[in-house]
Amino acid sequence: PRRLTSDHMFVGVGSDEAIDALLRCFCVPGCDRILTCPPTYGMYAVSAHVNDVAIVKVPLGPAPAFALDVTAVCDALTREAHVKLVYLCSPGNPTGS
């Protein structure tokens, strides 16, 4: 198995900075997309908007479970071109699931 080293680490000032840095590193503005599963943390959409990256949304299941729809996520990744990042929260924000 591969070993994790300091080359695999990112140190940032909170999650907002990491979210933005990932978009800037891996997404081409006006071309690429990210996938999110709303309801979810709002900073994904804010950073995508600031960086001119489109969002593919695959909603979570209904309350109270707010389950990830794995089939729908896989279908979206097959159907949608240029998805470079998928943001999955555990535990979910704001759902806590």
Side-chain angles (χ1 to χ4, degrees):
R2 291 181 51 179
R3 303 192 92 187
L4 291 179
T5 68
S6 60
D7 292 339
H8 300 100
M9 301 290 178
F10 173 85
V11 178
V13 184
S15 62
D16 293 357
E17 183 180 11
I19 291 165
D20 187 64
L22 284 167
L23 281 162
R24 291 173 188 262
C25 287
F26 293 105
C27 295
V28 175
C31 177
D32 291 330
R33 299 167 181 232
I34 65 170
L35 185 141
T36 65
C37 298
T40 193
Y41 186 48
M43 198 61 191
Y44 302 132
V46 170
S47 287
H49 179 74
V50 166
N51 290 291
D52 192 23
V53 174
I55 304 172
V56 175
K57 297 179 182 179
V58 178
L60 294 174
F66 294 106
L68 182 65
D69 187 342
V70 176
T71 300
V73 169
C74 291
D75 289 346
L77 291 172
T78 300
R79 181 181 65 251
E80 298 287 343
H82 303 285
V83 174
K84 292 290 179 77
L85 295 170
V86 177
Y87 286 106
L88 304 173
C89 297
S90 179
N93 176 350
T95 65
S97 61

